[in-house]
Amino acid sequence: MNQGDQINRNNHSRITTLFTENLGYTYLGNWEELAGNSNIEERHLSHYLSTQGYNAVQVSKVIYELKQAVNSFSDDLYQKNKKVFSLLRNGVQINEGAGTQNTVVRLIDWKNTDNNDFGIAEEVNIKGNKFKRPDLVFYVNGIALGLLELKKSHVDISEGIQQSIIAQQGYFNESFFSTIQFVMAGNDTQGLRYGTIKTEEKLYLNWNEEIAEGTALELDQYLIKICNKERFLSLIYEGVVFDSGKKKLLSASQYFTLKAAQGRIQQKEGGIIWYTPGAGKTSLMVLLSKWILENYSNARVIILTDSADLDKQIEALFNENGETIKRANNGKKLLQQLSQPASRLLCALVHKFGKKSEDNVEEFIKELEANPVDTSVELFVFVDDCHHAQSSKLYLTMKMLLQQAIFIGFTGSVLLKKDKKITEEVFGSYINSNKLNEIKYAEVE
């Protein structure tokens, strides 16, 4: 073994030890010489499902349905991955015969982290192609969810990213990536970067979270941050967005903002989410809405914007991520739909309530008063560009009449000093506190 191979061997050994001793994963072995390696390891998945009480027939049907999605010839990688993600997140529906109801089989226990089998394998030789084998693959219940390309200190992370991008091509190992959620590359000098399937190299992210200096390599510390069992599942279950042919993962800032917003809602409080334009506000709206609808059975979510283009964009993004959203053409229709069980998610333009001018508030108030909302409904109101002063009286009116509602304001612009008080009066304080030091109110009267 030459010196370069020995360095690689030492790096692999250190990282696998990190996963087994620090994170509690099971070491599955070095699979370089094994034939038939797959992103669905049937022996491990079958064992897991049997421990969950599913019988042999059910297990066989589940694996068949999962493999159908993985190996679909009619879908590209994006569509395959999207279908597989739905099965992973929501379970696989199987029919066991005429006259029986469908059974939903859960491939992963998202709520009980320890009720899953986490494993890590080295040098996973895929279909005998040793030239495109991932260095490390992370399995949950026998399903490959993440992979890591490790590079020597003097080799740029870019090389590892490019290896994974090439491996996703159809003539290499495209089907293997149909289950993959995290694609990572790292070394001991540059740390760690991550993306997902079909992510361009320039869009790979760093995980920006405080780490202890001088105690361990950055690579190791950031792997611990992301691949901690509970957070790894949370990042997948709560943090994946499909958007017009592109799959997206949350940045650290987005993830912590999402968790902070969930905490506020659990305390029955609202607040303001501040983001620079293009930083993923709309994705956060989708993910926070999904979380609300899944955790509050009587919830209704209204998303208000003052841009027709953004209104359509929000509708399209929600639909692509499996959430049916209804658009209201006026205030009366919006409030009437809130009392309908099927209308849990609504979007509307602010100016649909009347003219944008402040002197039209009385007309809007009359619409609200004439169409009271069922008080048993848990109402959540998301407002984009909440800093706009011209809309403040409308939102104050809504807050006054919809007293049970929780308001979340989204903004990507600086709040003028004269508007700061009224904006916080409507929505509350800032949710993503890590952004507070970046906000400078203009000294404008």
Side-chain angles (χ1 to χ4, degrees), residues 328-344:
N329 296 322
N330 54 61
K332 178 180 179 180
K333 183 177 180 180
L334 174 66
L335 296 181
Q336 287 176 340
Q337 287 180 330
L338 287 176
S339 299
Q340 300 174 8
S343 302
R344 301 193 68 202

Side-chain angles (χ1 to χ4, degrees), residues 371-383:
N371 298 275
V373 177
D374 184 350
T375 55
S376 66
V377 171
E378 296 176 278
L379 185 58
F380 300 85
V381 182
F382 292 0
V383 179

Side-chain angles (χ1 to χ4, degrees), residues 221-342:
Q221 293 194 66
Y222 284 127
L223 283 171
I224 289 173
K225 296 288 187 184
I226 295 178
C227 298
N228 168 283
K229 291 180 180 180
E230 184 174 356
R231 181 175 285 179
F232 188 64
L233 292 188
S234 175
L235 283 166
I236 296 171
Y237 186 83
E238 300 181 286
V240 171
V241 173
F242 294 90
D243 184 3
S244 303
K246 295 182 179 180
K247 184 177 181 179
K248 299 177 180 179
L249 300 177
L250 292 182
S251 66
S253 175
Q254 288 175 308
Y255 178 71
F256 295 131
T257 297
L258 176 66
K259 301 306 288 185
Q262 292 173 359
R264 284 284 185 93
I265 289 169
Q266 288 170 334
Q267 296 171 15
K268 301 187 182 301
E269 296 178 1
I272 302 169
I273 292 176
W274 185 87
Y275 260 93
T276 53
K281 265 191 313 180
T282 311
S283 293
L284 278 176
M285 287 185 186
V286 171
L287 297 173
L288 187 56
S289 296
K290 287 175 72 74
W291 180 83
I292 289 171
L293 296 176
E294 289 176 351
N295 288 277
Y296 294 84
S297 58
N298 293 320
R300 305 287 189 274
V301 178
I302 304 174
I303 299 175
L304 302 178
T305 69
D306 61 3
S307 162
D309 289 340
L310 182 58
D311 189 52
K312 293 177 182 178
Q313 176 188 339
I314 287 172
E315 181 182 31
L317 189 59
F318 271 95
N319 288 335
E320 187 165 3
N321 286 276
E323 296 292 342
T324 301
I325 188 168
K326 295 188 176 181
R327 181 183 290 140
N329 296 322
N330 54 61
K332 178 180 179 180
K333 183 177 180 180
L334 174 66
L335 296 181
Q336 287 176 340
Q337 287 180 330
L338 287 176
S339 299
Q340 300 174 8

Side-chain angles (χ1 to χ4, degrees), residues 69 74-84 197 245 320:
S74 60
D75 294 322
D76 61 15
L77 177 55
Y78 177 80
Q79 291 297 333
K80 288 179 185 177
N81 194 280
K82 185 178 178 183
K83 288 180 180 179
V84 170
I197 56 118
E320 187 165 3

